[in-house]
Amino acid sequence: YTGLMLRLHIIIAISSFALAAGLLVKPVQKLLSVNYGLIAATIATGAILVVQGYSALHVCAMGLVYTLVMIVMSAVARRRLAVAHG
């Protein structure tokens, strides 16, 4: 179960990052909303991993970096979307 959760966590995080990178190129409101859900899912699965016994220091440090990067990427995409729609 723990290995499955770790794989799910990694897949969600990579998917979220790939979607955010795509949104920087072509921002789409619906996909931006999907990405917010993926970010929340990544944080939730990270919290589950800590509860399951993974290193809180490692998971939280990586989670903080991931969350900060995703906030910046999402903000840039949101700004580009606002500019494109006037």
Side-chain angles (χ1 to χ4, degrees), residues 43-86:
I43 293 169
T45 55
I48 291 169
L49 288 171
V50 170
V51 169
Q52 289 180 339
Y54 278 85
S55 166
L57 179 61
H58 180 258
V59 172
C60 291
M62 292 305 298
L64 181 60
V65 170
Y66 165 83
T67 303
L68 291 174
V69 168
M70 296 310 295
I71 287 171
V72 169
M73 292 175 82
S74 296
V76 170
R78 191 173 53 247
R79 194 170 312 123
R80 288 182 180 174
L81 185 63
V83 168
H85 287 67

Side-chain angles (χ1 to χ4, degrees), residues 6-71:
L6 179 60
R7 278 179 261 157
L8 179 64
H9 177 71
I10 291 168
I11 290 168
I12 293 170
I14 291 171
S15 298
S16 176
F17 186 80
L19 181 56
L23 286 167
L24 290 176
V25 175
K26 185 174 186 210
V28 177
Q29 179 59 49
K30 189 170 217 160
L31 292 179
L32 192 57
S33 297
V34 168
N35 201 45
Y36 293 147
L38 289 173
I39 293 167
T42 303
I43 293 169
T45 55
I48 291 169
L49 288 171
V50 170
V51 169
Q52 289 180 339
Y54 278 85
S55 166
L57 179 61
H58 180 258
V59 172
C60 291
M62 292 305 298
L64 181 60
V65 170
Y66 165 83
T67 303
L68 291 174
V69 168
M70 296 310 295
I71 287 171

